[in-house]
């Protein structure tokens, strides 16, 4: 995909998912949507009953927006980035005193 076509695709994804995250390493790039609460719940169920690697694999595959093969190490790293970003966003929106979402 050329730069113009990927920019158009990103705009399309933003309309569909509201936010698109770009995760990259030296040689790979992935565009991801933010995980839904249901996807996060399923991630935690897999993590608690199986292992973290399978849970990260599940989460990445649910959120990746392009249908292509990724290196396992990149996939796991990108999954961890999704978890980290979700934790940061949760801290921004939840009022610690009341426990209520402030969005």
């Amino acid at each position: 995909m050329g730069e113009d076509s990927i920019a158009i695709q990103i705009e399309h994804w933003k309309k569909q998912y509201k936010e698109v995250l770009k995760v990259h390493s030296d040689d790979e790039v992935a565009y991801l949507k933010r995980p839904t609460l249901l996807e996060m719940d399923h991630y935690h169920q897999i993590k608690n009953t199986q292992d973290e690697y399978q849970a990260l694999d599940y989460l990445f595959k649910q959120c990746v927006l392009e249908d292509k093969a990724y290196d396992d190490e990149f996939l796991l790293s990108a999954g961890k980035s999704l978890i980290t970003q979700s934790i940061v966003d949760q801290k921004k929106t939840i009022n610690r005193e009341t426990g209520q979402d402030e969005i």
Side-chain angles (χ1 to χ4, degrees):
M1 250 188 224
E3 283 187 38
D4 289 339
S5 60
I6 194 65
I8 292 168
Q9 183 61 53
I10 290 169
E11 287 305 313
H12 173 74
W13 287 328
K14 284 182 178 180
K15 288 178 185 173
Q16 188 174 359
Y17 300 111
K18 297 186 182 168
E19 186 175 2
V20 175
L21 306 170
K22 179 180 179 181
V23 179
H24 58 88
S25 67
D26 291 339
D27 57 349
E28 288 191 271
V29 175
Y31 295 94
L32 306 147
K33 69 176 184 72
R34 186 159 309 281
T36 65
L37 291 175
L38 186 60
E39 290 164 342
M40 287 299 293
D41 184 48
H42 196 232
Y43 158 81
H44 287 292
Q45 288 176 6
I46 295 170
K47 183 179 174 187
N48 291 336
T49 60
Q50 296 172 34
D51 67 42
E52 185 172 6
Y53 297 111
Q54 288 179 330
L56 290 170
D57 179 73
Y58 161 80
L59 190 63
F60 179 85
K61 289 177 179 174
Q62 292 300 306
C63 296
V64 69
L65 298 173
E66 294 178 289
D67 186 24
K68 65 181 193 180
Y70 293 94
D71 180 66
D72 287 343
E73 189 175 313
F74 176 77
L75 182 150
L76 295 174
S77 177
K80 286 181 182 180
S81 293
L82 279 172
I83 297 300
T84 301
Q85 187 63 41
S86 295
I87 291 169
V88 168
D89 288 346
Q90 184 181 39
K91 287 180 180 178
K92 288 180 187 176
T93 63
I94 302 295
N95 182 321
R96 292 178 190 215
E97 292 176 17
T98 64
Q100 299 295 313
D101 191 341
E102 293 186 336
I103 293 181

